[in-house]
Amino acid sequence: NAGVTQTPKFRVLKTGQSMTLLCAQDMNHEYMYWYRQDPGMGLRLIHYSVGEGTTAKGEVPDGYNVSRLKKQNFLLGLESAAPSQTSVYFCASSYSRGANNEQFFGPGTRLTVL
Amino acid sequence: KNEVEQSPQNLTAQEGEFITINCSYSVGISALHWLQQHPGGGIVSLFMLSSGKKKHGRLIATINIQEKHSSLHITASHPRDSAVYICAAPLTQGGSEKLVFGKGTKLTVNP
């Protein structure tokens, strides 16, 4: 099993460009999450999904959109990138959502917006 | 005020030392997570615990729900333990639940 994979691993964008980050999991997990990690701050939830075809906003959703067309994939889109979106993005998945369920993380995508 | 506070922020130890990292949270929770982030960036879950103590190899996690405090201990520390250790607590807001993460403790173990 590959677990949780993310593509790409690195990306540099210019302000105003768009891109999509892809997250894939092969554990048949219902729940998937997108986080961003910035220096001096804890991981912050951008959007999450509780199942195929569903998405919900997290703590810092502005400037991002997501889609979960297939259970195994969770896409994070930036329509018009801004320097404030320079960050490391982590995708995670879990069997169910709740305090007692372990989240499995992808390797991260380092995004720089110039 | 962050709902999950970790201390210390940075910790340097010599190989073989006993390490303690602390996590305090301000909300009532049912369980707490400890995670490890490797220097390469990958994040793995170490423990989820709701009471008492859990042990995995040289790592021990304890929690006191009443005092809203958890500790992660590493016995006989080794340079390969060098990583950022993160605690996270579930928080329910507006009917939905999410994990709130601490800022992490960066541990460096020197040979």
Side-chain angles (χ1 to χ4, degrees):
Chain A
N1 287 348
V4 180
T5 58
Q6 292 181 231
T7 51
K9 289 187 168 50
F10 303 94
R11 186 71 186 269
V12 178
L13 290 178
K14 294 181 180 178
T15 297
Q17 287 185 317
S18 64
M19 78 163 294
T20 300
L21 282 68
L22 171 64
C23 175
Q25 53 92 7
D26 61 2
M27 296 173 282
N28 200 34
H29 285 169
E30 289 292 337
Y31 294 79
M32 297 187 75
Y33 316 84
W34 276 108
Y35 296 97
R36 60 178 290 172
Q37 185 178 44
D38 301 295
M41 304 185 76
L43 288 157
R44 292 183 293 169
L45 182 64
I46 304 171
H47 286 280
Y48 64 97
S49 168
V50 302
E52 182 179 318
T54 72
T55 63
K57 292 181 180 179
E59 187 182 353
V60 288
D62 294 342
Y64 305 96
N65 56 76
V66 288
S67 64
R68 183 101 180 266
L69 299 178
K70 293 183 179 180
K71 187 177 183 179
Q72 63 267 35
N73 296 336
F74 195 28
L75 279 64
L76 178 71
L78 286 73
E79 289 186 348
S80 179
S84 60
Q85 293 177 305
T86 293
S87 187
V88 181
Y89 292 85
F90 287 95
C91 176
S93 71
S94 65
Y95 178 68
S96 66
R97 191 161 192 262
N100 298 319
N101 283 281
E102 179 181 2
Q103 290 192 15
F104 293 81
F105 286 81
T109 295
R110 186 172 294 274
L111 175 66
T112 302
V113 182
L114 303 174
Chain B
K1 181 182 183 296
N2 198 23
E3 286 142 331
V4 178
E5 298 279 354
Q6 287 186 238
S7 63
Q9 229 176 322
N10 293 282
L11 183 56
T12 300
Q14 288 301 121
E15 184 173 354
E17 285 185 0
F18 181 83
I19 304 293
T20 296
I21 298 170
N22 296 300
C23 178
S24 297
Y25 46 92
S26 58
V27 295
I29 63 169
S30 56
L32 186 119
H33 299 243
W34 280 102
L35 306 104
Q36 179 191 56
Q37 184 167 24
H38 296 289
I43 299 173
V44 295
S45 178
L46 296 175
F47 296 103
M48 286 184 296
L49 68 166
S50 56
S51 65
K53 178 167 74 173
K54 283 193 176 181
K55 185 175 187 289
H56 181 69
R58 294 178 295 105
L59 274 59
I60 303 167
T62 64
I63 190 168
N64 186 318
I65 293 288
Q66 287 76 21
E67 294 185 5
K68 295 186 171 63
H69 182 268
S70 176
S71 292
L72 177 68
H73 305 285
I74 305 175
T75 62
S77 60
H78 189 276
R80 64 174 174 267
D81 297 324
S82 298
V84 176
Y85 293 86
I86 302 167
C87 68
L91 176 67
T92 300
Q93 283 180 331
S96 65
E97 193 175 80
K98 67 181 181 82
L99 281 180
V100 177
F101 294 82
K103 295 180 181 179
T105 295
K106 184 176 181 181
L107 172 65
T108 303
V109 182
N110 294 318

